[in-house]
Amino acid sequence: MKTFSPTLLGLLLLAAPVLNGCVTAKKYDDLSARQQADAQGKEAAERQLRSTTAELQKASDELAQLRLTQKRLVTDSAETGAAYRKTRMLYNELNSSYDKLLKNSDRELANKSSDYNKVAKDLARREAELGELETTLQKSKAVNDRLAADLQAREARLTELTKALADKDQAVADLKARVSKALLSFNSSDLQVKLKDGKVYVSLSEQLLFKSGSTKVDPKGQEALKKLATVLQEQKDVNVVVEGHTDNVPILRGTAGLADNWDLSALRATEIARLLTTAGVASERVTASGRGQYVPVAPNDTPQNRALNRRTEIILTPKLDELFQILGSNSTAPAGAAPGK
């Protein structure tokens, strides 16, 4: 289809009046329609041209971008290739080192395995020893617990015994004080009251009690014994031992019923025991014994010393039933087992 330029189209329009007479109306209308169609075609072509131009520009920009990308990719590819080759070299080196290490590791593993076996055996031995030690510890603990319980019981008994001893000592001290007070009126050279070995000793001289070689107590001596008996009646938990003592001078031959000093000391002790029981002291509490010349308090080398040896000792001992009971419980208490038994 032919197109007309704007100039030609304008000339045609100017000539239209002239040609009007010779151009038919139908041809004019055709020409006008064709002209309008050509204008529209031109406009569409121009739009298509602009669109194509824009697309071409876009494609050019994309091509330029692709070229830049290709350039970067080429650069990156070169760098990547270099890195790959370096990495490959490192990999080969590492692989070689790994092979060496693996060979060395096998040897080390064999050595370590041997060491491990030794350590395992030593550990097993030590575990066995530990088990034995734990067993021994348990046994020792059980023994220690028994010993602790026994010690606690013994401490309790010791406390009880200590108190009983203190009570006994106090009782002996009180008894001595009462006896000393009761016999205070007698001369100290004839009568002495003292404490010895937890007992009260009342020592009476022969001069206070007897005439030489006699077994009968003089009235003054009887008075002393009665006063002592009065105290002993109040002290019913006191045992009484009467001991007769002499010097080493033999008795005169022909003294009735006496063979020697032993007889004399025994008969004098019996006489004093009888006077005490007659004065009210229970007979089962009194014991008489003759010691003769065999327990002197001084050498028999002077008249004064021999006079000291001729004496009667009345030994007063508080009953120790409570102490004996405590001591008996101690002796029958089970002892702790020795460790490990």
Side-chain angles (χ1 to χ4, degrees), residues 168-182 193 195 198-202 228 231-240 285 314-319:
K168 175 254 182 187
D169 290 341
Q170 185 61 48
V172 171
D174 292 344
L175 177 61
K176 177 182 179 296
R178 290 189 180 95
V179 171
S180 297
K181 183 178 180 181
V193 181
L195 285 175
K199 303 174 184 178
V200 178
Y201 282 72
V202 181
L228 178 60
V231 176
L232 294 177
Q233 288 180 53
E234 299 173 356
Q235 303 292 319
K236 299 184 183 301
D237 58 347
V238 175
N239 291 323
V240 182
R285 295 168 53 195
I314 301 176
I315 305 171
L316 308 178
T317 307
K319 292 182 179 180

PDB file of all heavy atoms in Angstrom, residues 168-182 193 195 198-202 228 231-240 285 314-319:
ATOM      1  N   LYS A 168      32.045 -42.708 149.205  1.00  0.00           N
ATOM      2  CA  LYS A 168      32.716 -43.531 150.211  1.00  0.00           C
ATOM      3  C   LYS A 168      33.748 -42.720 150.970  1.00  0.00           C
ATOM      4  O   LYS A 168      33.849 -42.795 152.208  1.00  0.00           O
ATOM      5  CB  LYS A 168      33.352 -44.729 149.505  1.00  0.00           C
ATOM      6  CG  LYS A 168      34.189 -45.623 150.408  1.00  0.00           C
ATOM      7  CD  LYS A 168      35.648 -45.406 150.140  1.00  0.00           C
ATOM      8  CE  LYS A 168      36.522 -46.318 150.987  1.00  0.00           C
ATOM      9  NZ  LYS A 168      37.948 -45.999 150.855  1.00  0.00           N
ATOM     10  N   ASP A 169      34.561 -41.920 150.231  1.00  0.00           N
ATOM     11  CA  ASP A 169      35.565 -41.086 150.908  1.00  0.00           C
ATOM     12  C   ASP A 169      34.904 -40.090 151.851  1.00  0.00           C
ATOM     13  O   ASP A 169      35.409 -39.840 152.965  1.00  0.00           O
ATOM     14  CB  ASP A 169      36.401 -40.337 149.866  1.00  0.00           C
ATOM     15  CG  ASP A 169      37.311 -41.273 149.082  1.00  0.00           C
ATOM     16  OD1 ASP A 169      37.559 -42.389 149.566  1.00  0.00           O
ATOM     17  OD2 ASP A 169      37.751 -40.883 147.982  1.00  0.00           O
ATOM     18  N   GLN A 170      33.789 -39.539 151.411  1.00  0.00           N
ATOM     19  CA  GLN A 170      33.078 -38.597 152.277  1.00  0.00           C
ATOM     20  C   GLN A 170      32.536 -39.310 153.513  1.00  0.00           C
ATOM     21  O   GLN A 170      32.599 -38.784 154.634  1.00  0.00           O
ATOM     22  CB  GLN A 170      31.934 -37.941 151.499  1.00  0.00           C
ATOM     23  CG  GLN A 170      31.195 -36.856 152.277  1.00  0.00           C
ATOM     24  CD  GLN A 170      32.106 -35.716 152.674  1.00  0.00           C
ATOM     25  OE1 GLN A 170      32.864 -35.209 151.838  1.00  0.00           O
ATOM     26  NE2 GLN A 170      32.054 -35.305 153.939  1.00  0.00           N
ATOM     27  N   ALA A 171      32.030 -40.530 153.310  1.00  0.00           N
ATOM     28  CA  ALA A 171      31.513 -41.306 154.439  1.00  0.00           C
ATOM     29  C   ALA A 171      32.623 -41.635 155.427  1.00  0.00           C
ATOM     30  O   ALA A 171      32.440 -41.563 156.658  1.00  0.00           O
ATOM     31  CB  ALA A 171      30.847 -42.581 153.931  1.00  0.00           C
ATOM     32  N   VAL A 172      33.816 -41.992 154.910  1.00  0.00           N
ATOM     33  CA  VAL A 172      34.947 -42.292 155.788  1.00  0.00           C
ATOM     34  C   VAL A 172      35.374 -41.044 156.552  1.00  0.00           C
ATOM     35  O   VAL A 172      35.663 -41.107 157.770  1.00  0.00           O
ATOM     36  CB  VAL A 172      36.118 -42.870 154.963  1.00  0.00           C
ATOM     37  CG1 VAL A 172      37.371 -42.989 155.821  1.00  0.00           C
ATOM     38  CG2 VAL A 172      35.754 -44.223 154.389  1.00  0.00           C
ATOM     39  N   ALA A 173      35.407 -39.913 155.842  1.00  0.00           N
ATOM     40  CA  ALA A 173      35.783 -38.666 156.518  1.00  0.00           C
ATOM     41  C   ALA A 173      34.777 -38.311 157.603  1.00  0.00           C
ATOM     42  O   ALA A 173      35.155 -37.887 158.718  1.00  0.00           O
ATOM     43  CB  ALA A 173      35.892 -37.534 155.488  1.00  0.00           C
ATOM     44  N   ASP A 174      33.485 -38.480 157.287  1.00  0.00           N
ATOM     45  CA  ASP A 174      32.460 -38.207 158.304  1.00  0.00           C
ATOM     46  C   ASP A 174      32.596 -39.160 159.489  1.00  0.00           C
ATOM     47  O   ASP A 174      32.434 -38.755 160.658  1.00  0.00           O
ATOM     48  CB  ASP A 174      31.067 -38.338 157.678  1.00  0.00           C
ATOM     49  CG  ASP A 174      30.791 -37.257 156.660  1.00  0.00           C
ATOM     50  OD1 ASP A 174      31.520 -36.239 156.649  1.00  0.00           O
ATOM     51  OD2 ASP A 174      29.857 -37.432 155.836  1.00  0.00           O
ATOM     52  N   LEU A 175      32.875 -40.433 159.217  1.00  0.00           N
ATOM     53  CA  LEU A 175      33.044 -41.415 160.286  1.00  0.00           C
ATOM     54  C   LEU A 175      34.223 -41.042 161.184  1.00  0.00           C
ATOM     55  O   LEU A 175      34.136 -41.107 162.421  1.00  0.00           O
ATOM     56  CB  LEU A 175      33.260 -42.799 159.678  1.00  0.00           C
ATOM     57  CG  LEU A 175      33.521 -43.946 160.658  1.00  0.00           C
ATOM     58  CD1 LEU A 175      32.350 -44.126 161.600  1.00  0.00           C
ATOM     59  CD2 LEU A 175      33.808 -45.243 159.899  1.00  0.00           C
ATOM     60  N   LYS A 176      35.344 -40.668 160.572  1.00  0.00           N
ATOM     61  CA  LYS A 176      36.506 -40.248 161.371  1.00  0.00           C
ATOM     62  C   LYS A 176      36.161 -39.065 162.253  1.00  0.00           C
ATOM     63  O   LYS A 176      36.550 -38.998 163.442  1.00  0.00           O
ATOM     64  CB  LYS A 176      37.674 -39.884 160.453  1.00  0.00           C
ATOM     65  CG  LYS A 176      38.907 -39.372 161.204  1.00  0.00           C
ATOM     66  CD  LYS A 176      40.001 -38.978 160.242  1.00  0.00           C
ATOM     67  CE  LYS A 176      41.217 -38.458 161.004  1.00  0.00           C
ATOM     68  NZ  LYS A 176      40.966 -37.219 161.758  1.00  0.00           N
ATOM     69  N   ALA A 177      35.407 -38.110 161.683  1.00  0.00           N
ATOM     70  CA  ALA A 177      35.046 -36.932 162.467  1.00  0.00           C
ATOM     71  C   ALA A 177      34.172 -37.323 163.656  1.00  0.00           C
ATOM     72  O   ALA A 177      34.375 -36.827 164.784  1.00  0.00           O
ATOM     73  CB  ALA A 177      34.324 -35.926 161.569  1.00  0.00           C
ATOM     74  N   ARG A 178      33.230 -38.238 163.452  1.00  0.00           N
ATOM     75  CA  ARG A 178      32.350 -38.653 164.547  1.00  0.00           C
ATOM     76  C   ARG A 178      33.127 -39.420 165.618  1.00  0.00           C
ATOM     77  O   ARG A 178      32.945 -39.203 166.832  1.00  0.00           O
ATOM     78  CB  ARG A 178      31.212 -39.522 163.995  1.00  0.00           C
ATOM     79  CG  ARG A 178      30.205 -38.777 163.152  1.00  0.00           C
ATOM     80  CD  ARG A 178      29.008 -39.656 162.833  1.00  0.00           C
ATOM     81  NE  ARG A 178      28.019 -38.955 162.027  1.00  0.00           N
ATOM     82  CZ  ARG A 178      27.963 -39.026 160.708  1.00  0.00           C
ATOM     83  NH1 ARG A 178      28.840 -39.775 160.050  1.00  0.00           N
ATOM     84  NH2 ARG A 178      27.045 -38.361 160.036  1.00  0.00           N
ATOM     85  N   VAL A 179      34.004 -40.330 165.171  1.00  0.00           N
ATOM     86  CA  VAL A 179      34.790 -41.108 166.133  1.00  0.00           C
ATOM     87  C   VAL A 179      35.731 -40.194 166.913  1.00  0.00           C
ATOM     88  O   VAL A 179      35.868 -40.317 168.148  1.00  0.00           O
ATOM     89  CB  VAL A 179      35.572 -42.207 165.396  1.00  0.00           C
ATOM     90  CG1 VAL A 179      36.567 -42.896 166.344  1.00  0.00           C
ATOM     91  CG2 VAL A 179      34.618 -43.238 164.816  1.00  0.00           C
ATOM     92  N   SER A 180      36.396 -39.260 166.213  1.00  0.00           N
ATOM     93  CA  SER A 180      37.311 -38.338 166.894  1.00  0.00           C
ATOM     94  C   SER A 180      36.564 -37.508 167.931  1.00  0.00           C
ATOM     95  O   SER A 180      37.059 -37.278 169.050  1.00  0.00           O
ATOM     96  CB  SER A 180      37.984 -37.420 165.862  1.00  0.00           C
ATOM     97  OG  SER A 180      38.763 -38.171 164.964  1.00  0.00           O
ATOM     98  N   LYS A 181      35.370 -37.070 167.552  1.00  0.00           N
ATOM     99  CA  LYS A 181      34.573 -36.276 168.488  1.00  0.00           C
ATOM    100  C   LYS A 181      34.164 -37.107 169.702  1.00  0.00           C
ATOM    101  O   LYS A 181      34.209 -36.620 170.843  1.00  0.00           O
ATOM    102  CB  LYS A 181      33.346 -35.731 167.771  1.00  0.00           C
ATOM    103  CG  LYS A 181      32.478 -34.843 168.629  1.00  0.00           C
ATOM    104  CD  LYS A 181      31.300 -34.308 167.825  1.00  0.00           C
ATOM    105  CE  LYS A 181      30.415 -33.411 168.699  1.00  0.00           C
ATOM    106  NZ  LYS A 181      29.248 -32.902 167.951  1.00  0.00           N
ATOM    107  N   ALA A 182      33.780 -38.368 169.485  1.00  0.00           N
ATOM    108  CA  ALA A 182      33.337 -39.232 170.584  1.00  0.00           C
ATOM    109  C   ALA A 182      34.479 -39.554 171.531  1.00  0.00           C
ATOM    110  O   ALA A 182      34.275 -39.724 172.753  1.00  0.00           O
ATOM    111  CB  ALA A 182      32.723 -40.509 170.029  1.00  0.00           C
ATOM    112  N   VAL A 193      43.124 -41.439 166.253  1.00  0.00           N
ATOM    113  CA  VAL A 193      42.185 -41.717 165.160  1.00  0.00           C
ATOM    114  C   VAL A 193      42.793 -41.137 163.877  1.00  0.00           C
ATOM    115  O   VAL A 193      43.113 -39.943 163.824  1.00  0.00           O
ATOM    116  CB  VAL A 193      40.807 -41.085 165.422  1.00  0.00           C
ATOM    117  CG1 VAL A 193      39.849 -41.421 164.280  1.00  0.00           C
ATOM    118  CG2 VAL A 193      40.244 -41.574 166.757  1.00  0.00           C
ATOM    119  N   LEU A 195      43.145 -41.622 159.277  1.00  0.00           N
ATOM    120  CA  LEU A 195      42.709 -42.205 158.011  1.00  0.00           C
ATOM    121  C   LEU A 195      43.890 -42.885 157.347  1.00  0.00           C
ATOM    122  O   LEU A 195      44.987 -42.335 157.275  1.00  0.00           O
ATOM    123  CB  LEU A 195      42.155 -41.126 157.067  1.00  0.00           C
ATOM    124  CG  LEU A 195      40.769 -40.565 157.367  1.00  0.00           C
ATOM    125  CD1 LEU A 195      40.446 -39.441 156.400  1.00  0.00           C
ATOM    126  CD2 LEU A 195      39.717 -41.655 157.281  1.00  0.00           C
ATOM    127  N   GLY A 198      41.802 -45.400 152.922  1.00  0.00           N
ATOM    128  CA  GLY A 198      40.353 -45.323 152.827  1.00  0.00           C
ATOM    129  C   GLY A 198      39.621 -45.916 154.017  1.00  0.00           C
ATOM    130  O   GLY A 198      38.412 -46.182 153.925  1.00  0.00           O
ATOM    131  N   LYS A 199      40.317 -46.113 155.113  1.00  0.00           N
ATOM    132  CA  LYS A 199      39.704 -46.675 156.316  1.00  0.00           C
ATOM    133  C   LYS A 199      40.023 -45.780 157.499  1.00  0.00           C
ATOM    134  O   LYS A 199      40.968 -44.982 157.478  1.00  0.00           O
ATOM    135  CB  LYS A 199      40.240 -48.090 156.577  1.00  0.00           C
ATOM    136  CG  LYS A 199      40.041 -49.055 155.418  1.00  0.00           C
ATOM    137  CD  LYS A 199      40.723 -50.381 155.687  1.00  0.00           C
ATOM    138  CE  LYS A 199      40.605 -51.318 154.486  1.00  0.00           C
ATOM    139  NZ  LYS A 199      41.301 -52.608 154.720  1.00  0.00           N
ATOM    140  N   VAL A 200      39.226 -45.938 158.568  1.00  0.00           N
ATOM    141  CA  VAL A 200      39.470 -45.211 159.809  1.00  0.00           C
ATOM    142  C   VAL A 200      40.138 -46.173 160.788  1.00  0.00           C
ATOM    143  O   VAL A 200      39.595 -47.236 161.103  1.00  0.00           O
ATOM    144  CB  VAL A 200      38.160 -44.659 160.402  1.00  0.00           C
ATOM    145  CG1 VAL A 200      38.437 -43.952 161.728  1.00  0.00           C
ATOM    146  CG2 VAL A 200      37.488 -43.706 159.420  1.00  0.00           C
ATOM    147  N   TYR A 201      41.312 -45.777 161.246  1.00  0.00           N
ATOM    148  CA  TYR A 201      42.050 -46.587 162.223  1.00  0.00           C
ATOM    149  C   TYR A 201      41.942 -45.931 163.596  1.00  0.00           C
ATOM    150  O   TYR A 201      42.337 -44.761 163.779  1.00  0.00           O
ATOM    151  CB  TYR A 201      43.520 -46.696 161.827  1.00  0.00           C
ATOM    152  CG  TYR A 201      43.798 -47.689 160.723  1.00  0.00           C
ATOM    153  CD1 TYR A 201      43.433 -47.435 159.407  1.00  0.00           C
ATOM    154  CD2 TYR A 201      44.437 -48.891 161.006  1.00  0.00           C
ATOM    155  CE1 TYR A 201      43.684 -48.362 158.402  1.00  0.00           C
ATOM    156  CE2 TYR A 201      44.694 -49.816 159.999  1.00  0.00           C
ATOM    157  CZ  TYR A 201      44.318 -49.543 158.705  1.00  0.00           C
ATOM    158  OH  TYR A 201      44.568 -50.459 157.702  1.00  0.00           O
ATOM    159  N   VAL A 202      41.432 -46.685 164.565  1.00  0.00           N
ATOM    160  CA  VAL A 202      41.413 -46.245 165.969  1.00  0.00           C
ATOM    161  C   VAL A 202      42.462 -47.084 166.695  1.00  0.00           C
ATOM    162  O   VAL A 202      42.283 -48.301 166.885  1.00  0.00           O
ATOM    163  CB  VAL A 202      40.021 -46.439 166.610  1.00  0.00           C
ATOM    164  CG1 VAL A 202      40.037 -45.939 168.054  1.00  0.00           C
ATOM    165  CG2 VAL A 202      38.956 -45.708 165.781  1.00  0.00           C
ATOM    166  N   LEU A 228      32.907 -45.590 171.548  1.00  0.00           N
ATOM    167  CA  LEU A 228      33.094 -45.970 170.140  1.00  0.00           C
ATOM    168  C   LEU A 228      31.903 -46.786 169.658  1.00  0.00           C
ATOM    169  O   LEU A 228      31.418 -46.593 168.530  1.00  0.00           O
ATOM    170  CB  LEU A 228      34.389 -46.768 169.985  1.00  0.00           C
ATOM    171  CG  LEU A 228      34.696 -47.287 168.576  1.00  0.00           C
ATOM    172  CD1 LEU A 228      34.804 -46.143 167.582  1.00  0.00           C
ATOM    173  CD2 LEU A 228      35.981 -48.107 168.582  1.00  0.00           C
ATOM    174  N   VAL A 231      28.950 -44.697 168.576  1.00  0.00           N
ATOM    175  CA  VAL A 231      29.069 -44.166 167.213  1.00  0.00           C
ATOM    176  C   VAL A 231      28.784 -45.254 166.180  1.00  0.00           C
ATOM    177  O   VAL A 231      28.070 -45.044 165.197  1.00  0.00           O
ATOM    178  CB  VAL A 231      30.468 -43.566 166.989  1.00  0.00           C
ATOM    179  CG1 VAL A 231      30.630 -43.106 165.530  1.00  0.00           C
ATOM    180  CG2 VAL A 231      30.711 -42.412 167.929  1.00  0.00           C
ATOM    181  N   LEU A 232      29.310 -46.459 166.435  1.00  0.00           N
ATOM    182  CA  LEU A 232      29.159 -47.545 165.466  1.00  0.00           C
ATOM    183  C   LEU A 232      27.714 -48.024 165.363  1.00  0.00           C
ATOM    184  O   LEU A 232      27.304 -48.536 164.318  1.00  0.00           O
ATOM    185  CB  LEU A 232      30.071 -48.707 165.840  1.00  0.00           C
ATOM    186  CG  LEU A 232      31.572 -48.401 165.747  1.00  0.00           C
ATOM    187  CD1 LEU A 232      32.389 -49.606 166.203  1.00  0.00           C
ATOM    188  CD2 LEU A 232      31.954 -48.017 164.324  1.00  0.00           C
ATOM    189  N   GLN A 233      26.953 -47.882 166.449  1.00  0.00           N
ATOM    190  CA  GLN A 233      25.527 -48.251 166.368  1.00  0.00           C
ATOM    191  C   GLN A 233      24.797 -47.361 165.362  1.00  0.00           C
ATOM    192  O   GLN A 233      23.859 -47.800 164.696  1.00  0.00           O
ATOM    193  CB  GLN A 233      24.877 -48.124 167.758  1.00  0.00           C
ATOM    194  CG  GLN A 233      25.288 -49.200 168.739  1.00  0.00           C
ATOM    195  CD  GLN A 233      24.613 -49.025 170.083  1.00  0.00           C
ATOM    196  OE1 GLN A 233      23.383 -48.910 170.173  1.00  0.00           O
ATOM    197  NE2 GLN A 233      25.408 -48.987 171.148  1.00  0.00           N
ATOM    198  N   GLU A 234      25.219 -46.109 165.254  1.00  0.00           N
ATOM    199  CA  GLU A 234      24.592 -45.186 164.300  1.00  0.00           C
ATOM    200  C   GLU A 234      25.108 -45.425 162.873  1.00  0.00           C
ATOM    201  O   GLU A 234      24.421 -45.079 161.912  1.00  0.00           O
ATOM    202  CB  GLU A 234      24.878 -43.742 164.720  1.00  0.00           C
ATOM    203  CG  GLU A 234      24.319 -43.394 166.097  1.00  0.00           C
ATOM    204  CD  GLU A 234      24.775 -42.012 166.548  1.00  0.00           C
ATOM    205  OE1 GLU A 234      25.584 -41.390 165.812  1.00  0.00           O
ATOM    206  OE2 GLU A 234      24.329 -41.562 167.619  1.00  0.00           O
ATOM    207  N   GLN A 235      26.295 -45.992 162.761  1.00  0.00           N
ATOM    208  CA  GLN A 235      26.907 -46.239 161.448  1.00  0.00           C
ATOM    209  C   GLN A 235      26.758 -47.718 161.114  1.00  0.00           C
ATOM    210  O   GLN A 235      27.707 -48.504 161.185  1.00  0.00           O
ATOM    211  CB  GLN A 235      28.385 -45.824 161.465  1.00  0.00           C
ATOM    212  CG  GLN A 235      28.633 -44.382 161.848  1.00  0.00           C
ATOM    213  CD  GLN A 235      28.117 -43.421 160.797  1.00  0.00           C
ATOM    214  OE1 GLN A 235      28.270 -43.657 159.613  1.00  0.00           O
ATOM    215  NE2 GLN A 235      27.494 -42.338 161.234  1.00  0.00           N
ATOM    216  N   LYS A 236      25.575 -48.120 160.723  1.00  0.00           N
ATOM    217  CA  LYS A 236      25.299 -49.543 160.516  1.00  0.00           C
ATOM    218  C   LYS A 236      25.937 -50.099 159.238  1.00  0.00           C
ATOM    219  O   LYS A 236      25.943 -51.309 159.028  1.00  0.00           O
ATOM    220  CB  LYS A 236      23.779 -49.767 160.485  1.00  0.00           C
ATOM    221  CG  LYS A 236      23.093 -49.370 161.783  1.00  0.00           C
ATOM    222  CD  LYS A 236      21.620 -49.703 161.760  1.00  0.00           C
ATOM    223  CE  LYS A 236      20.925 -49.246 163.036  1.00  0.00           C
ATOM    224  NZ  LYS A 236      21.509 -49.880 164.246  1.00  0.00           N
ATOM    225  N   ASP A 237      26.441 -49.218 158.378  1.00  0.00           N
ATOM    226  CA  ASP A 237      27.070 -49.693 157.148  1.00  0.00           C
ATOM    227  C   ASP A 237      28.587 -49.737 157.280  1.00  0.00           C
ATOM    228  O   ASP A 237      29.308 -49.703 156.286  1.00  0.00           O
ATOM    229  CB  ASP A 237      26.684 -48.785 155.972  1.00  0.00           C
ATOM    230  CG  ASP A 237      27.071 -47.337 156.217  1.00  0.00           C
ATOM    231  OD1 ASP A 237      27.404 -47.003 157.366  1.00  0.00           O
ATOM    232  OD2 ASP A 237      27.045 -46.533 155.252  1.00  0.00           O
ATOM    233  N   VAL A 238      29.094 -49.844 158.523  1.00  0.00           N
ATOM    234  CA  VAL A 238      30.530 -49.886 158.783  1.00  0.00           C
ATOM    235  C   VAL A 238      30.897 -51.244 159.366  1.00  0.00           C
ATOM    236  O   VAL A 238      30.287 -51.699 160.345  1.00  0.00           O
ATOM    237  CB  VAL A 238      30.952 -48.754 159.745  1.00  0.00           C
ATOM    238  CG1 VAL A 238      32.435 -48.897 160.110  1.00  0.00           C
ATOM    239  CG2 VAL A 238      30.691 -47.392 159.113  1.00  0.00           C
ATOM    240  N   ASN A 239      31.879 -51.898 158.758  1.00  0.00           N
ATOM    241  CA  ASN A 239      32.415 -53.146 159.295  1.00  0.00           C
ATOM    242  C   ASN A 239      33.559 -52.843 160.256  1.00  0.00           C
ATOM    243  O   ASN A 239      34.285 -51.850 160.076  1.00  0.00           O
ATOM    244  CB  ASN A 239      32.904 -54.064 158.171  1.00  0.00           C
ATOM    245  CG  ASN A 239      31.752 -54.611 157.335  1.00  0.00           C
ATOM    246  OD1 ASN A 239      30.683 -54.907 157.859  1.00  0.00           O
ATOM    247  ND2 ASN A 239      31.981 -54.737 156.027  1.00  0.00           N
ATOM    248  N   VAL A 240      33.728 -53.707 161.264  1.00  0.00           N
ATOM    249  CA  VAL A 240      34.708 -53.473 162.321  1.00  0.00           C
ATOM    250  C   VAL A 240      35.669 -54.658 162.384  1.00  0.00           C
ATOM    251  O   VAL A 240      35.246 -55.809 162.491  1.00  0.00           O
ATOM    252  CB  VAL A 240      34.028 -53.281 163.693  1.00  0.00           C
ATOM    253  CG1 VAL A 240      35.073 -52.990 164.772  1.00  0.00           C
ATOM    254  CG2 VAL A 240      32.983 -52.167 163.618  1.00  0.00           C
ATOM    255  N   ARG A 285      29.094 -57.786 162.213  1.00  0.00           N
ATOM    256  CA  ARG A 285      29.902 -56.696 161.676  1.00  0.00           C
ATOM    257  C   ARG A 285      31.319 -56.681 162.240  1.00  0.00           C
ATOM    258  O   ARG A 285      32.158 -55.909 161.772  1.00  0.00           O
ATOM    259  CB  ARG A 285      29.243 -55.340 161.967  1.00  0.00           C
ATOM    260  CG  ARG A 285      27.917 -55.124 161.267  1.00  0.00           C
ATOM    261  CD  ARG A 285      27.193 -53.902 161.834  1.00  0.00           C
ATOM    262  NE  ARG A 285      28.036 -52.715 161.822  1.00  0.00           N
ATOM    263  CZ  ARG A 285      27.765 -51.600 162.511  1.00  0.00           C
ATOM    264  NH1 ARG A 285      26.682 -51.546 163.282  1.00  0.00           N
ATOM    265  NH2 ARG A 285      28.576 -50.560 162.462  1.00  0.00           N
ATOM    266  N   ILE A 314      41.499 -50.789 165.973  1.00  0.00           N
ATOM    267  CA  ILE A 314      40.127 -51.068 165.535  1.00  0.00           C
ATOM    268  C   ILE A 314      39.967 -50.385 164.170  1.00  0.00           C
ATOM    269  O   ILE A 314      40.017 -49.153 164.069  1.00  0.00           O
ATOM    270  CB  ILE A 314      39.106 -50.540 166.550  1.00  0.00           C
ATOM    271  CG1 ILE A 314      39.358 -51.201 167.925  1.00  0.00           C
ATOM    272  CG2 ILE A 314      37.684 -50.809 166.073  1.00  0.00           C
ATOM    273  CD1 ILE A 314      38.466 -50.669 169.024  1.00  0.00           C
ATOM    274  N   ILE A 315      39.806 -51.201 163.160  1.00  0.00           N
ATOM    275  CA  ILE A 315      39.770 -50.703 161.775  1.00  0.00           C
ATOM    276  C   ILE A 315      38.311 -50.644 161.326  1.00  0.00           C
ATOM    277  O   ILE A 315      37.617 -51.669 161.308  1.00  0.00           O
ATOM    278  CB  ILE A 315      40.586 -51.609 160.845  1.00  0.00           C
ATOM    279  CG1 ILE A 315      42.022 -51.761 161.384  1.00  0.00           C
ATOM    280  CG2 ILE A 315      40.599 -51.058 159.418  1.00  0.00           C
ATOM    281  CD1 ILE A 315      42.831 -52.808 160.662  1.00  0.00           C
ATOM    282  N   LEU A 316      37.875 -49.440 160.983  1.00  0.00           N
ATOM    283  CA  LEU A 316      36.486 -49.214 160.585  1.00  0.00           C
ATOM    284  C   LEU A 316      36.443 -49.024 159.066  1.00  0.00           C
ATOM    285  O   LEU A 316      37.078 -48.108 158.519  1.00  0.00           O
ATOM    286  CB  LEU A 316      35.924 -47.979 161.297  1.00  0.00           C
ATOM    287  CG  LEU A 316      36.109 -47.970 162.834  1.00  0.00           C
ATOM    288  CD1 LEU A 316      35.568 -46.678 163.428  1.00  0.00           C
ATOM    289  CD2 LEU A 316      35.435 -49.173 163.461  1.00  0.00           C
ATOM    290  N   THR A 317      35.688 -49.880 158.417  1.00  0.00           N
ATOM    291  CA  THR A 317      35.609 -49.853 156.949  1.00  0.00           C
ATOM    292  C   THR A 317      34.158 -49.761 156.513  1.00  0.00           C
ATOM    293  O   THR A 317      33.365 -50.673 156.801  1.00  0.00           O
ATOM    294  CB  THR A 317      36.223 -51.119 156.337  1.00  0.00           C
ATOM    295  OG1 THR A 317      37.540 -51.291 156.847  1.00  0.00           O
ATOM    296  CG2 THR A 317      36.260 -51.026 154.818  1.00  0.00           C
ATOM    297  N   PRO A 318      33.768 -48.671 155.812  1.00  0.00           N
ATOM    298  CA  PRO A 318      32.392 -48.614 155.285  1.00  0.00           C
ATOM    299  C   PRO A 318      32.159 -49.771 154.317  1.00  0.00           C
ATOM    300  O   PRO A 318      33.047 -50.174 153.568  1.00  0.00           O
ATOM    301  CB  PRO A 318      32.354 -47.263 154.564  1.00  0.00           C
ATOM    302  CG  PRO A 318      33.434 -46.459 155.192  1.00  0.00           C
ATOM    303  CD  PRO A 318      34.510 -47.438 155.553  1.00  0.00           C
ATOM    304  N   LYS A 319      30.958 -50.309 154.352  1.00  0.00           N
ATOM    305  CA  LYS A 319      30.628 -51.392 153.429  1.00  0.00           C
ATOM    306  C   LYS A 319      30.717 -50.874 151.990  1.00  0.00           C
ATOM    307  O   LYS A 319      30.237 -49.793 151.673  1.00  0.00           O
ATOM    308  CB  LYS A 319      29.227 -51.920 153.713  1.00  0.00           C
ATOM    309  CG  LYS A 319      29.117 -52.638 155.048  1.00  0.00           C
ATOM    310  CD  LYS A 319      27.705 -53.181 155.263  1.00  0.00           C
ATOM    311  CE  LYS A 319      27.611 -53.915 156.606  1.00  0.00           C
ATOM    312  NZ  LYS A 319      26.255 -54.445 156.852  1.00  0.00           N
TER     313      LYS A 319
END
